[in-house]
C-alpha cells in the first residue's frame, strides 16, 4: 500500500512504530481484547493495518474506524511482547488525535473533556451535584457500594462503584502539610491528586499525605492542579485540551522537586506529556523536565525516600491478612514499576504476600473504554477475578484507583469475599 | 460484489456479529505474515461448529463463491490471503481442546486452538507435542496441519504430519468427513489424512484434529557454539548427525542476524562470530549428560571457536529467546524482505552455504541467513524494496538462483512455510510434471468448482 502521511500529523510522528510491525500476529496471544473477541480488528496488528489503510486512502474516518480504534485499553501488552518492538498503542493514540482534529469530538465528550475536566472546581461541583441523585435513584448494594448513574464522571453504567465522597480531598487538606512536631523535614514534595482520589477516595489521599509527613516529608497540594488529562488526550485523542491541562499541571508544580502520585494512570499520563503533546520546543523541554519529577508513590518510597522496612506498619485492616498485588498496566508496562510495590508489601510485618497468576494482565478498566464497552470490560475483569480467587487472598491491592474501581465492581459481581484496597491502605 | 442475500444467509447460519462486512474489518483479513501480498475479502465469517462450516461451504459451492480458510493468519507464504475475494472462513472461534488422554497419549482439538494454549494445557499434565513453529504464540493448530508446520524440535521429533492420527474435514460440497482415528497404527486404505495435512486450505476445511503426544522429556541441556566460518558451522551439523546422536534442536544464525539481535536486545553475544549454532539435547538425565558431552566434543573437533553449555534453565531460555528474535531481526531489516524457506539434504549444508556466498557475490545482494540447520532447512533472506521496481526484480532473480542451488543439491523449494502465492512461480521446476498434474486432478475431484482457496499453490493457467 502506498501511504501518505500528509494529512496525518500525529500518526506521522510514530511512523517508525507503524511501519515496524511485521504482522507476525504474536500480539493476539497477549491482547486482552483479542482474547475476548477473537477478531483481528481487536488487536494491535489489525488496528495498525487499519491505520495503514487510512494512510493509503483505502479507509476513512467512519464510525467503524473510530470504534475499532477506541476498543483498546492501551495496556501495552502487545508492545512489551512484540518481537519487532513496535509500539502500536502510540500509533493508536496518534490516530485518535488525528481523528479528533479532523472530525471533532462527539457529545457528550466535547462537554466533559473540553469544558469540565480542565476545570477541577467546576467538575467537582458537577460531581457533587450528581452525587445528590445517586442515593435517590439507585438501589443500594453491599456495604458502601452503590449503583451510581454517573455519566458525567464517566464511570457509571450500572457498575458497582464506591459512592462520591461527602467531602473532597481539596476540602480536607491544606496546601502545605508539614511533618508533625518532633519529626525532621527531610524533603518537600508535591502531591498530585487524581480525580478519583479527589472525589471518590479522599480518605486515601489524606492517608498518604499523613504517611508521608509522618516520615519526614513536607507535602504540598497545589490547588491549581487539575485532571492529569489521560481520558482527554490518551483516551479521546483531544490533544488541544490535553495541552492546556498539561501546561496547568506543569505550572502548578513549579519549584517542587518531586510530584508524587497514588494513581498509576495519572503518573503515566503526566510522564507522557512530552511524547504526545509537545508541539513546540518549549513545551518539549518543560514536559521532559516535569516527567522526571513524577514518581509513583511506591517508587517514591522505595527509590527516592528509601524508607527502611521498619517504617511500614500494618494498618488495622491489613494485620494478619493474605494480600495479593495487581499490576496496573500504567505502572508495570508503561512505567516499568513492578518490584517496588512488591517490596513495600513484603516489608509489612504480619502481612502475608501471595503472587497471583498473570498479575500484570489488564483488568479492563481504561477509563472511557470501560464505559463504552462495559460488557467487554467485564469479561476481561472476570479473568482477573479468577486469578485473584486462585490465590485465596483476603485483600487485593493495586496502585491505581481506576483499577480499584474495576476490581471492586468485579469482586461484587463475582461474589468474592476479597477486599479491594490501595497499596498505601495496607500501612498505618 | 457478493449479493446481499448471501450475507443474510451466512448470518442465518452463524448468527449476526460473527459475519463481518465493514471495510474496516475486511481490511484486517486482507494480509498474512508476508510483506507484500494483500487482497480484501468480501465477507469474513467466524463459525463455531463443523455443522456451520458445512453449511457455509454448501452455500458457497452452490453460489460458486471462493472460500479462503484462515487460522491466525501467521503463515508466510500468502496462504490465507483471499486473493480472489469472496469469503474468509476464520476458525479462531472453534478453539476448544476436546480431550487430552494421558494413557493413550493423544489429544483431540478444534482447529482454532492456539498452539501455545495447547502446549500449556499439555504441560500441566506432563505431556509434550513437539512440532514447534516459532509462531506458536499466534498460530492455530489447524493452520499448522494445513501448512504441515515444523520447528526447531523437528530434527529429533519430526514435523506435524508425524503426529496427525485423525482428522475431521469438511469437503467443498459440505460433507463432514472423518479420517483416521485415535490409534497410533492404522492401515485402513490410503493415507488420506496426509492429503489434507499440508493442503494449505485447498482441499477442505479441517474441523477436528487428533494428535499423537509424547511424555515431556525429563531433562534437557542447551549449548551454543561459535564459528568463524559459516560453512564450517554447516559441516559441524553434518558431523554431529554422523556421530550417532540426534540432538533435539540444532538452530543456526549468521553474523548479520546475530548483530541485529544484539542491537535489539543486548545480551553480550559474540558479534564477530560468522555463525552461531544453538543446540539442545533432551531425554533422561543420564542420556542428556552423555549426549551433551558427545555433541560438545564433535563441535570442538569440527572447528568451533567456542562452545558454551547453558548452566541453568534461565541461561538456556536466554539463548532460545535470542533464536526466536531471529525472525524479527531479519524482517525488520529492510522495506521488503524476501525470506526463503529452502531445505537441502543435511549432508549438503556446508556446500549449500558455500553456494549462497557465491550467489551473493555474483548478484551483489547481501544474503542473511538463519534456520533449522538440523533439518537442512534454512531461511536465507534478501533485502529489497518493492517500490524500487528494478531492484526488486533483481532481488527476485537472485532468489531464483538460491532455489536453483537448493534444487541442484537435491533440496526442496519449501521446508515448512508452504507454497501459497509466494513460491508458485517456481513450482513447475521443483516438481515432477506428472505429480503436479495429479495434484491438480485431486483438487478438481474434491473441489470441482474450485471454491476452496483458489489461486494457491500452482499457477492458475495450468488448470
Ligand atoms: C514469526 C513467524 C515465525 C514462523 N516460524 C515458523 C516455523 O518455525 N515453522 C513453520 O513451519 N512455520 C513458521 N511460520 C509460519 C506459520 O506460522 C505457520 O505456517 C502456521 O502453521 C500458520 O498457522 P495459522 O493458524 O496462522 O494459519 P493461517 O496463516 O491462517 O493459514 C495458513 C494456511 O492454512 C490454511 N488453513 C488454516 N486453517 C485451516 C483449517 N482449519 N482447515 C484448512 N485449512 C486451513 C489457510 O487457508 C492457509 O493456506 C512462522 C510465521 C511467523 C510469522
Ligand atoms: S507482535 Fe508486533 S510485529 Fe507482531 S503483529 Fe503484533 S505489533 Fe506487529
Ligand atoms: S494496547 Fe492492549 S488492548 Fe490495545 S492492542 Fe495492545 S494489547 Fe490490545
Amino acid at each position: 500500500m502506498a501511504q501518505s502521511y500528509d494529512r496525518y500529523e500525529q500518526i506521522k510522528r510514530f511512523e517508525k512504530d507503524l511501519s515496524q510491525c511485521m504482522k507476525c500476529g504474536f500480539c493476539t496471544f497477549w491482547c486482552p481484547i483479542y482474547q475476548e473477541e477473537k477478531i483481528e480488528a481487536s488487536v494491535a496488528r489489525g488496528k495498525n493495518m487499519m491505520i495503514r489503510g487510512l494512510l493509503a486512502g483505502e479507509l476513512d474516518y467512519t464510525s467503524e474506524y473510530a470504534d475499532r480504534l477506541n476498543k483498546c485499553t492501551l495496556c501495552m501488552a502487545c508492545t512489551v511482547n512484540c518481537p519487532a518492538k513496535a509500539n502500536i498503542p502510540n500509533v493508536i493514540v496518534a490516530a485518535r488525535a488525528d481523528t479528533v482534529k479532523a472530525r471533532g469530538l462527539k457529545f457528550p465528550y466535547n462537554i466533559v473533556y473540553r469544558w469540565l475536566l480542565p476545570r477541577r472546581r467546576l467538575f467537582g461541583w458537577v460531581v457533587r451535584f450528581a452525587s445528590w441523585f445517586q442515593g435517590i435513584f439507585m438501589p443500594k448494594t453491599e456495604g458502601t457500594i452503590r449503583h451510581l448513574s454517573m455519566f458525567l464522571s464517566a464511570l457509571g453504567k450500572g457498575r458497582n462503584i464506591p459512592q462520591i465522597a461527602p467531602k473532597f480531598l481539596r476540602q480536607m487538606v491544606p496546601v502545605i502539610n508539614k511533618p508533625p512536631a518532633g519529626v525532621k523535614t527531610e524533603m518537600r514534595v508535591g502531591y498530585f491528586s487524581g480525580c478519583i482520589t479527589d472525589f471518590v477516595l479522599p480518605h486515601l489521599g489524606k492517608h498518604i499525605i499523613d504517611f508521608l509527613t509522618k516520615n519526614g516529608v513536607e507535602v504540598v497540594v497545589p490547588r491549581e492542579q487539575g485532571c492529569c488529562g489521560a481520558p482527554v488526550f490518551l483516551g479521546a485523542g483531544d490533544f488541544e485540551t490535553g495541552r492546556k491541562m498539561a501546561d496547568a499541571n506543569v505550572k502548578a508544580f513549579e519549584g517542587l522537586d518531586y510530584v508524587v502520585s497514588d494513581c498509576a494512570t495519572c503518573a503515566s499520563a503526566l510522564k507522557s506529556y512530552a511524547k504526545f503533546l509537545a508541539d513546540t520546543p518549549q513545551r518539549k523541554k518543560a514536559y521532559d523536565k516535569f516527567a522526571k519529577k513524577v514518581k509513583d508513590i511506591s517508587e517514591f518510597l522505595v527509590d527516592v525516600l528509601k524508607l527502611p522496612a521498619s517504617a511500614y506498619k500494618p494498618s488495622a485492616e491489613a494485620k494478619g491478612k493474605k494480600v495479593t498485588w495487581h499490576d496496573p498496566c500504567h505502572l508495570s508496562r508503561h512505567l516499568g514499576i513492578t518490584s517496588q510495590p512488591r517490596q513495600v508489601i513484603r516489608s509489612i510485618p504480619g502481612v502475608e504476600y501471595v503472587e497471583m497468576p498473570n498479575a500484570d494482565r489488564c483488568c479492563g478498566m481504561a477509563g472511557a473504554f470501560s464505559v463504552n464497552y462495559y460488557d467487554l470490560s467485564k469479561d476481561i475483569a472476570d479473568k482477573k477475578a479468577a486469578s485473584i480467587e486462585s490465590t485465596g487472598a483476603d485483600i487485593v491491592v493495586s496502585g491505581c484507583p481506576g483499577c480499584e474501581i474495576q476490581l471492586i465492581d468485579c469482586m461484587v459481581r463475582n461474589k468474592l469475599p476479597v477486599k479491594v484496597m490501595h497499596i498505601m491502605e495496607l500501612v498505618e | 460484489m457478493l449479493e446481499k442475500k448471501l450475507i443474510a444467509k451466512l448470518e442465518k447460519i452463524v448468527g449476526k456479529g460473527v459475519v463481518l462486512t465493514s471495510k474496516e474489518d475486511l481490511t484486517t483479513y486482507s494480509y498474512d505474515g508476508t510483506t507484500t501480498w494483500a487482497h480484501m475479502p468480501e465477507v469474513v465469517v467466524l463459525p463455531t461448529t463443523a455443522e456451520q462450516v458445512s453449511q457455509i461451504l454448501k452455500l458457497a459451492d452452490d453460489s460458486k463463491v471462493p472460500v479462503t480458510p484462515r487460522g491466525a493468519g501467521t503463515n508466510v507464504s500468502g496462504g490465507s490471503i483471499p486473493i480472489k475475494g469472496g469469503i474468509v472462513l476464520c476458525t479462531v472461534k472453534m478453539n476448544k481442546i476436546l480431550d487430552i488422554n494421558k494413557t493413550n497419549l493423544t489429544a483431540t482439538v478444534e482447529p482454532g486452538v492456539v498452539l501455545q494454549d495447547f502446549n500449556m494445557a499439555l504441560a500441566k499434565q506432563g505431556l509434550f507435542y513437539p512440532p514447534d513453529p516459532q509462531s506458536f504464540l499466534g498460530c492455530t493448530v489447524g493452520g499448522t496441519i494445513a501448512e504441515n508446520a515444523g520447528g526447531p524440535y523437528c530434527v529429533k521429533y519430526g514435523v506435524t504430519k508425524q503426529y496427525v492420527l485423525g482428522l475431521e474435514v469438511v469437503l467443498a460440497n459440505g460433507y463432514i468427513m472423518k479420517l483416521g482415528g485415535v490409534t497410533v497404527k492404522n492401515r485402513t486404505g490410503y493415507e488420506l489424512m496426509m492429503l489434507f495435512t499440508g493442503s494449505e486450505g485447498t482441499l477442505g476445511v479441517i474441523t477436528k484434529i487428533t494428535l499423537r503426544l509424547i511424555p515431556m522429556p525429563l531433562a534437557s541441556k542447551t549449548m551454543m557454539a561459535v564459528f568463524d566460518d559459516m560453512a564450517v558451522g554447516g559441516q559441524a551439523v553434518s558431523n554431529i548427525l554422523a556421530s550417532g546422536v540426534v540432538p533435539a534442536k540444532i538452530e543456526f544464525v549468521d553474523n548479520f542476524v546475530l548483530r541485529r539481535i544484539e542491537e535489539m536486545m543486548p545480551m553480550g553475544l559474540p558479534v564477530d562470530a560468522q555463525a552461531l549454532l544453538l543446540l539442545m539435547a533432551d531425554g533422561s538425565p543420564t542420556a542428556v549428560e552423555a549426549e551433551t558431552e558427545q555433541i560438545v566434543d564433535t563441535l570442538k573437533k569440527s572447528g568451533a571457536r567456542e562452545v558454551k553449555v547453558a548452566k541453568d534453565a534461565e541461561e538456556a531460555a536466554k539463548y532460545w529467546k535470542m533464536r526466536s528474535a531471529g525472525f524479527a531481526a531479519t524482517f525488520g531489516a529492510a522495506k521488503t524482505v524476501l525470506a526463503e524457506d529452502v531445505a537441502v539434504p543435511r549432508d549438503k549444508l556446508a556446500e549449500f552455504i558455500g553456494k549462497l556466498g557465491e550467489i551473493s557475490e555474483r548478484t551483489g545482494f547481501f544474503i542473511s541467513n538463519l534456520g533449522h540447520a538440523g533439518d537442512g532447512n534454512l531461511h536465507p533472506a534478501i533485502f529489497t524494496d518493492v517500490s524500487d521496481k528494478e531492484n526488486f526484480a533483481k532481488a527476485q532473480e537472485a532468489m531464483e538462483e538460491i532455489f536453483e542451488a537448493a534444487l541442484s543439491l537435491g533440496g526442496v523449494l519449501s521446508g515448512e512455510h508452504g507454497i501459497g502465492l509466494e513460491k508458485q512461480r517456481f513450482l513447475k521446476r521443483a516438481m515432477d510434471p506428472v505429480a503436479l498434474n495429479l495434484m491438480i486432478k485431486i483438487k478438481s475431484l474434491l473441489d470441482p468448482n474450485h471454491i476452496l482457496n483458489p489461486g494457491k499453490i500452482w499457477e492458475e493457467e495450468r488448470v
Side-chain angles (χ1 to χ4, degrees), chain A residues 257-258 271 287-295:
Chain A
D257 293 339
Y258 291 103
K271 276 181 180 291
Y287 292 169
D288 274 334
K289 194 170 149 215
F290 181 66
K292 288 204 189 81
K293 302 201 283 193
V294 176
K295 299 280 167 202

Side-chain angles (χ1 to χ4, degrees), chain B residues 237-255:
Chain B
V237 173
S238 310
N239 295 350
I240 290 168
L241 296 172
S243 81
V245 269
V246 180
K249 306 179 183 179
I250 313 179
E251 295 289 301
F252 158 84
V253 293
D254 76 354
N255 174 270

Side-chain angles (χ1 to χ4, degrees), chain A residues 21-264:
Chain A
C21 167
M22 54 172 186
K23 297 178 282 165
C24 68
F26 289 11
C27 41
T28 53
F29 190 77
W30 306 105
C31 176
I33 317 269
Y34 181 86
Q35 284 299 320
E36 297 304 329
E37 295 194 320
K38 297 268 172 194
I39 281 175
E40 187 72 24
S42 320
V43 73
R45 172 173 68 168
K47 293 186 201 299
N48 192 52
M49 289 303 284
M50 263 175 33
I51 296 167
R52 286 193 198 174
L54 182 81
L55 298 182
E58 285 159 17
L59 296 182
D60 206 347
Y61 292 126
T62 54
S63 59
E64 284 87 357
Y65 171 83
D67 170 73
R68 308 300 185 269
L69 278 194
N70 288 338
K71 222 188 255 180
C72 166
T73 66
L74 304 179
C75 73
M76 273 182 77
C78 50
T79 316
V80 297
N81 292 294
C82 172
K85 303 253 180 294
N87 187 331
I88 305 304
N90 276 350
V91 186
I92 293 169
V93 171
R96 289 176 182 173
D98 281 333
T99 310
V100 167
K101 188 126 193 226
R103 294 294 151 100
L105 275 173
K106 286 212 173 71
F107 181 81
Y109 301 105
N110 50 357
I111 308 272
V112 179
Y113 295 153
R114 289 244 152 101
W115 192 66
L116 216 46
L117 280 187
R119 297 173 174 80
R120 177 61 72 97
R121 272 182 57 200
L122 182 66
F123 181 42
W125 193 84
V126 172
V127 170
R128 164 74 60 239
F129 185 72
S131 78
W132 292 338
F133 293 94
Q134 78 176 92
I136 301 170
F137 296 124
M138 301 295 150
K140 269 199 175 184
T141 54
E142 289 101 299
T144 61
I145 296 173
R146 293 171 196 221
H147 288 291
L148 166 65
S149 127
M150 226 182 110
F151 99 96
L152 282 173
S153 50
L155 288 170
K157 280 212 176 163
R159 185 184 285 268
N160 301 290
I161 67 165
Q163 54 183 315
I164 299 299
K167 221 174 173 186
F168 297 157
L169 182 63
R170 56 188 55 225
Q171 298 164 319
M172 286 164 70
V173 296
V175 175
I176 310 261
N177 299 268
K178 286 196 185 289
V183 178
K184 198 173 143 242
T185 305
E186 309 273 350
M187 216 179 264
R188 189 164 175 266
V189 306
Y191 173 74
F192 184 86
S193 134
C195 297
I196 301 181
T197 307
D198 199 353
F199 302 136
V200 184
L201 310 166
H203 60 280
L204 170 66
K206 173 85 171 71
H207 181 69
I208 291 172
I209 293 168
D210 289 347
F211 182 84
L212 287 171
T213 51
K214 210 162 59 183
N215 284 286
V217 181
E218 179 183 325
V219 182
V220 184
V221 189
R223 288 293 186 261
E224 301 74 27
Q225 63 176 304
C227 168
C228 66
V232 175
F233 71 95
L234 296 174
D238 182 357
F239 281 16
E240 205 186 303
T241 312
R243 272 180 208 115
K244 286 188 195 141
M245 300 165 101
D247 291 345
N249 284 327
V250 169
K251 190 145 177 277
F253 287 92
E254 247 165 28
L256 289 159
D257 293 339
Y258 291 103
V259 179
V260 177
S261 163
D262 58 55
C263 171

Side-chain angles (χ1 to χ4, degrees), chain A residues 22-26 83, chain B residues 32-33 68-81 91 111-112 132-136 138-152 199-202 204-207 209 323-324 327-328 372 377 379 415-417 453 456:
Chain A
M22 54 172 186
K23 297 178 282 165
C24 68
F26 289 11
Chain B
D32 61 6
T68 303
R70 185 189 197 267
T74 70
N75 78 90
V76 280
S77 57
S80 61
I81 289 172
T91 63
D132 57 339
Q134 292 300 284
S135 50
F136 54 82
C139 71
T140 63
V141 176
T144 65
I145 310 293
E147 292 286 7
N148 188 12
S199 63
E200 303 187 29
T202 61
V205 177
I206 299 160
T207 47
I209 301 142
R323 166 61 187 91
S324 49
F327 193 92
H372 315 298
N377 183 193
H379 301 312
E416 56 182 22
H417 294 165
N453 211 357
K456 301 294 167 69

Side-chain angles (χ1 to χ4, degrees), chain B residues 134 151-153 155 221-227 233-234 236-237 240 247-254 257-258 261 267 269-270 275-281 295 299 304 306-310 315-326 370-375:
Chain B
Q134 292 300 284
Y153 268 122
V155 194
K221 267 213 151 60
T222 290
M223 293 146 267
M224 179 169 86
V226 183
F227 290 88
V237 173
I240 290 168
K249 306 179 183 179
I250 313 179
E251 295 289 301
F252 158 84
V253 293
D254 76 354
V257 179
L258 183 69
I261 294 172
M267 58 200 288
L269 294 172
L276 275 194
L277 286 182
L278 283 183
L279 308 97
M280 181 194 267
I295 295 168
L299 284 165
E306 191 190 346
V307 183
K308 276 193 199 164
V309 180
E315 191 179 341
K318 198 176 95 175
Y319 291 166
W320 292 113
K321 192 166 175 211
M322 180 280 270
R323 166 61 187 91
S324 49
L370 84 168
H372 315 298
D375 302 321

